[in-house]
Amino acid sequence: ASTMTPLGQQRRLALLLCLVSTAACNLSGFTEEPFERVGKSDGYCSRILRAQSNRKEVNSEFRLRVEGDPESYQPGSTYRVTLTASSPAYFRGFILIALKEGAEGDRDEDYTGNFQIIDEEETQYMTNCPPAVAERTPRRRTSNQVYWTAPPGGSGCILLKASIVQKRIIYFQDEGSLTKRMCEKESLYGDSTDKPLLDCCACGTAKYRVTFYGNWSEKTHPKDYPRRANHWSAIIGASHSKNYVLWEYGGYASDGVKQVAELGSPVKMEEEIRQKGDEVLTVIKMKAQWPAWQPLNVRAAPSAEFSVDRTRHIMSFLTMLGPSPDWNVGLTAEDLCTKECGWVQKVVQDLIPWDAGTDSGVTYESPNKPTLPQEKIRPLTSLDHPQSPFYDPEGGAITPVARVIVERIARKGEQCNIVPDNVDDIVADIAQEEKEEDDTPETCIYSNWSPWSACSSATCEKGKRMRQRMLKAQLDLSVPCPHTQDFEPCMGPGCSDEDASTCMMSEWITWSPCSASCGMGSRSRERYVKQFPDDGSICTLPTEETEDCVVNEECCSAPSSCLVTEWGEWDVCSATCGLGMKRRERLVKMPPADGSICGAEVLEVEKCMMPECHTIPCMLTPWSEWSDCSVTCGKGLRTRQRMLKSPVELGDCTEELEQVEKCMLPECPIDCVMSEWTEWSECNKSCGKGHTIRTRMAMLEPQFGGDPCSETIQRKKCKIRKCNRGQANSDEKRRRKEQREKRRSKQGRSEVTTQHPGCKMRPWSTWTECTKPCGGGIQERLMTVKQKFKTAQLSSCKDRKEIRACNVHPC
């Protein structure tokens, strides 16, 4: 039976009203203390937590989800957080907080990260609890989304917690679908790529899709963002064994990596990958992206599929951030095999740019400046150079420029870990296994497949072989035509029961010239037996191949059955002034029924005339290298020049021949500046040994490594006269004597200071206030000229000033 008092019931009802509607709470001015007396730091947020912790009904209809379902967060990265209700459930209100793991929520420091509202009509920051977000107005809803930016590095693990209000029931779970725990992701950007790659124990193969999301834009990285030429180069990578390294932090860039890093060309990198033979299972390729960023509803993120097996379970790729000296992003040695002998389900990684160590430029469009000798690959940091677009004087983390998602889409073959991750995996695997038939669209017309190439492995180790076909016509341009290359695993001769013999054959010799000089002919190629079977049997493998070839197809009349599309629009003229060329194209809709080559023209070229060019061309040399900065520290200028190549007067060419830009080097050191010493003070003893002092102060503190400040106070010994021991007990006599001496001294100074040759002076002014309350300050007083006689000399008749130390006691 409930023992709650009427007052307790009222307080609980008031708190429930606040949780159901933050607006109602704001209007009612909720100030009751429902559980215990609220201290200074025990605010409304902690009341929410206590109220929620008393409601732990397990309900699977509601879920808090972070986009990508990451197990960890990247410091400073932003994530989309979604609250959802599965049909037919709904909720009227919600509260969402981010709490440090183990914290009670009683202090502001217990809350971490920052929420950003996506839809201000749906969501608001809570007035009584600013770290939390809640609904703006109570209504039926099935989902709500906000952004959450992760805290900086070193924040540890966090808990995203949600409460759901449905009618009058509050759902909250410390462990369950309304709480998401994430810990800080360990940095992948150390001095070297030192991942312990273990042998893989998984069975079968797995197929993955890698998707690249470029987030490098003027909005996210505004400093010096290159507006015109920004792009991502073609992506190149592979699934490979642990014995092969495409690139790694702390290593040196290969020729292929250098070509991608500086030029954005994947050609050399692909050659290096394919030369690795059995070390590589799949070559990963994606097209370049111009410009670097576009909304996903305008241009889909590039993706590619690849496979892994037990020996080749590592994935690496890279792409150039252009324009740049040699900056790239990518993954290196990402192991997709788990310790439980299975395949990783999903990898989500935010990427920052890294330096290939081959070019010494510091800005996006720095001129080419090779790094000699070549340096090691390293991640860029926010403290590399003041002119760097990623420079941050406080040394904060670089905002990621891209995100990559690697997701498993199928598994083949018998798996070691027979328990699948979820039901979706089983369905995906079965669907992939069943999809083996040829799915070539009827609107795509190909040539026949070429014969299989020789196996890449000459031994009984596993290799691969390739065949090709040519796309002859595409009848429906809206239907894409699949690949024209096909690969399959193979082994060397004699290693398979399907081989005709155990012969060892040579590579094919190059094709012979075409037998026809016009139209359709044939050509052939040969190979020879390198090693006959050990049993002395005859080799039955073919030693000659023949195929059709076409020479100068325009010399033959085009068959009447050849159908082509309408001509496309003319291209832009190749010249900006004067005479140029333009072209247009059309496609073959249907080739001749007899299989012959269509002879109809598919390309037209004609001349085009643009406005007349200037009669005197302005020919210029390339820009010189930038000069050194005009200063050795601080802000300065640097210049570069170019020259006229054409023999014309300077006035006929309006192009600039010199450019000047600002440059910034480390701040100049500033030395400490001290004031002048004050006059020595009076001796602190009236007789015997004593000391006197003088002081000075620091007018300007040292900065940026300048010379430090020296001493501000000096002492030296002083001795007025010997003390008379016999009179030591006569305090009254000593006091009267000191008074007499003081009067004489004052009268003497007055006479000296008020009388100067040829001058009549005013008396000394009073001392000014001390410049410092402690630690040694300065006081001043003045004596000014009252009357100047004709006989006065300039050097003797002028205003006087005295300075003395004050407040010399330590602070």
Side-chain angles (χ1 to χ4, degrees), residues 686-706:
S686 59
C687 65
K689 295 181 181 180
H691 68 268
T692 179
I693 64 170
R694 64 175 182 175
T695 63
R696 61 178 178 178
M697 59 187 296
M699 307 292 287
L700 181 63
E701 296 291 336
Q703 300 183 52
F704 312 115

Side-chain angles (χ1 to χ4, degrees), residues 189-208:
Y189 309 113
D191 294 333
S192 64
T193 307
D194 191 17
K195 295 181 180 179
L197 297 176
L198 306 175
D199 290 336
C200 179
C201 58
C203 301
T205 63
K207 191 172 185 179
Y208 285 87

Side-chain angles (χ1 to χ4, degrees), residues 2 9 75 85 151 198 211 252 304 314 337 382 412 440 476 588 602 641 777 782:
S2 173
Q9 292 176 347
L198 306 175
T211 307
Y252 290 98
I314 309 297
C337 185
S382 60
K412 287 187 177 181
T440 302
D476 187 351
V588 177
V602 294
Q641 297 85 23
L782 296 173

Side-chain angles (χ1 to χ4, degrees), residues 274-286:
R274 294 192 183 279
Q275 287 173 358
K276 291 299 176 178
D278 293 346
E279 301 290 342
V280 174
L281 181 58
T282 308
V283 178
I284 299 171
K285 297 167 67 176
M286 287 179 260

Side-chain angles (χ1 to χ4, degrees), residues 424-477:
D424 293 337
D425 289 341
I426 301 175
V427 175
D429 294 343
I430 294 174
Q432 193 68 23
E433 291 280 2
E434 293 175 349
K435 189 178 178 182
E436 294 294 338
E437 67 275 2
D438 186 10
D439 57 352
T440 302
E442 296 180 356
T443 55
C444 300
I445 299 177
Y446 293 91
S447 66
N448 293 328
W449 285 106
S450 68
W452 286 105
S453 67
C455 189
S456 62
S457 172
T459 66
C460 289
E461 293 293 326
K462 189 176 181 181
K464 59 184 176 182
R465 59 179 183 170
M466 180 190 74
R467 62 177 181 173
Q468 294 178 304
R469 60 181 177 178
M470 183 178 66
L471 179 61
K472 298 173 65 176
Q474 186 174 353
L475 304 184
D476 187 351
L477 298 180

Side-chain angles (χ1 to χ4, degrees), residues 672-718:
C672 177
V673 178
M674 307 291 292
S675 67
E676 296 294 329
W677 286 106
T678 63
E679 297 294 331
W680 287 102
S681 67
E682 296 180 359
C683 195
N684 69 332
K685 297 287 183 68
S686 59
C687 65
K689 295 181 181 180
H691 68 268
T692 179
I693 64 170
R694 64 175 182 175
T695 63
R696 61 178 178 178
M697 59 187 296
M699 307 292 287
L700 181 63
E701 296 291 336
Q703 300 183 52
F704 312 115
D707 292 339
C709 296
S710 55
E711 59 183 348
T712 58
I713 186 168
Q714 287 185 347
R715 289 181 171 85
K716 69 177 182 179
K717 296 178 180 179
C718 58

